[in-house]
């Protein structure tokens, strides 16, 4: 009888632990599969949760590699996520838009959410990489141009040299201005479409300048270290203050 009791207790512990992982486990699973996530955050006092779930599901039907999840802020098992996403004092319900690499790119309420706006808040893979870098205090050297442009190689070499000078405290990425997947990001960056350029942000996500293929690595480093105003690409319009 004692052995049976122990087995029952152990089984209950396993079941409880599974539920305790809850949304966190689903988020990890989605990210490992390369999916972005629409997380509808709610609690027992929130009104309009079903509406946001419906909007999220509607947006989800129009995009690839994405899942919709629901997070109850009242559940103790979600305490770590509440802290991670800094939503302890947020007015609920809201939709958190989370990229596949875990960076939050938007928080929409029932008042400002729409299927189109939810979709527009999803970053491209390159944009998500840059935003994650900002979260870790990394500057960004964003090379914008055509994939096979002749002046692309020179500017990439200078950016990589600048990266070494910055102690790898920067993210160097290439954005194909002709890619449909990068269209929203290109629109935010507003590069010169007639030639390859590099759009530069400091470690706080502030825009510091644009340069072309004749620039040198030392000039890139100086521009990175400038302290000016301006938003990180993707943060403007996502509820964050600039």
């Amino acid at each position: 009888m004692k052995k049976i009791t122990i087995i029952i207790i152990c089984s209950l512990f396993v079941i409880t632990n599974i539920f305790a992982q809850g949304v966190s486990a689903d988020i990890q699973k989605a990210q490992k599969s390369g999916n972005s996530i629409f997380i509808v955050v709610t609690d027992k006092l929130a009104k309009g949760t079903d509406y946001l779930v419906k909007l999220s599901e509607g947006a989800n039907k129009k995009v690839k590699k994405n899942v919709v999840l629901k997070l109850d802020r009242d559940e103790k098992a979600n305490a770590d996520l509440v802290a991670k996403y800094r939503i302890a004092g947020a007015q609920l319900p809201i939709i958190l838009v989370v990229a596949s690499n875990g960076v939050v790119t938007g928080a929409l309420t029932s008042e400002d959410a729409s299927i189109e706006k939810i979709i527009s808040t999803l970053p491209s893979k390159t944009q998500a990489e840059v935003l994650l870098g900002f979260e870790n205090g990394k500057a960004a050297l964003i090379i914008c141009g055509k994939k096979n442009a002749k002046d692309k190689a020179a500017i990439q070499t200078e950016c990589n040299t600048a990266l070494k000078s910055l102690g790898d405290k920067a993210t160097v990425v290439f954005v194909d201005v002709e890619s449909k997947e990068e269209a929203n990001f290109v629109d935010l960056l507003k590069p010169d479409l007639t030639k390859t350029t590099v759009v530069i942000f400091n470690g706080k996500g502030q825009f510091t300048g644009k340069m072309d293929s004749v620039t040198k690595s030392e000039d890139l480093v100086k521009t990175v270290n400038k302290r000016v105003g301006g938003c990180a690409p993707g943060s403007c319009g996502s509820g964050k203050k600039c």
Side-chain angles (χ1 to χ4, degrees):
M1 183 66 181
K2 185 176 180 180
K3 186 176 181 180
I4 294 174
T5 302
I6 292 173
I7 291 173
I8 292 173
I9 292 174
C10 289
S11 298
L12 288 173
F13 175 79
V14 172
I15 293 170
T16 302
N17 190 50
I18 289 171
F19 280 107
Q21 292 178 356
V23 181
S24 181
D26 290 336
I27 290 173
Q28 290 177 22
K29 182 179 179 181
Q31 291 173 344
K32 285 181 180 179
S33 299
N35 293 311
S36 51
I37 315 164
F38 298 145
I39 303 177
V40 180
V41 186
T42 187
D43 63 13
K44 60 184 178 183
L45 299 177
K47 296 181 180 180
T49 300
D50 291 342
Y51 171 69
L52 288 188
V53 170
K54 186 177 180 180
L55 281 181
S56 298
E57 291 175 343
N60 193 48
K61 292 178 181 178
K62 296 188 176 185
V63 295
K64 297 178 181 179
K65 300 288 287 181
N66 190 75
V67 297
V68 177
L69 298 175
K70 193 173 177 181
L71 190 157
D72 188 338
R73 190 170 64 183
D74 290 333
E75 290 289 336
K76 290 183 179 180
N78 293 327
D80 288 345
L81 291 176
V82 171
K84 177 181 178 180
Y85 295 135
R86 301 176 184 177
I87 51 175
Q91 185 176 349
L92 303 182
I94 58 173
I95 300 171
L96 290 182
V97 180
V98 184
S100 58
N101 63 355
V103 67
V104 177
T105 60
L108 305 173
T109 67
S110 55
E111 294 179 355
D112 56 18
S114 66
I115 289 177
E116 292 73 22
K117 194 163 186 178
I118 295 170
I119 293 173
S120 69
T121 309
L122 273 174
S124 68
K125 185 176 180 180
T126 307
Q127 185 181 359
E129 184 180 350
V130 170
L131 293 174
L132 184 61
F134 291 152
E135 282 197 358
N136 294 312
K138 290 188 174 185
L141 302 175
I142 308 170
I143 303 166
C144 303
K146 297 179 181 179
K147 195 173 182 180
N148 298 315
K150 293 181 179 179
D151 58 351
K152 175 185 169 187
I155 202 165
Q156 280 186 321
T157 298
E158 295 301 324
C159 283
N160 289 332
T161 301
L163 179 61
K164 292 178 181 179
S165 298
L166 292 166
D168 290 333
K169 289 295 291 181
T171 303
V172 177
V173 296
F174 173 74
V175 177
D176 183 353
V177 296
E178 296 181 319
S179 169
K180 291 182 179 179
E181 293 180 357
E182 300 290 353
N184 288 338
F185 195 26
V186 171
D187 188 52
L188 283 170
L189 295 170
K190 294 180 172 54
D192 185 339
L193 300 179
T194 65
K195 58 184 178 180
T196 304
T197 57
V198 55
V199 184
I200 307 162
F201 293 83
N202 64 24
K204 293 183 178 180
Q206 297 170 315
F207 170 74
T208 57
K210 295 180 183 179
M211 295 187 171
D212 58 27
S213 59
V214 299
T215 191
K216 297 300 180 182
S217 61
E218 53 266 31
D219 296 320
L220 292 170
V221 173
K222 288 179 183 178
T223 306
V224 162
N225 291 324
K226 283 173 58 178
R227 294 183 179 275
V228 296
C231 292
S235 63
C236 292
S238 64
K240 298 180 180 179
K241 291 183 180 181
C242 301

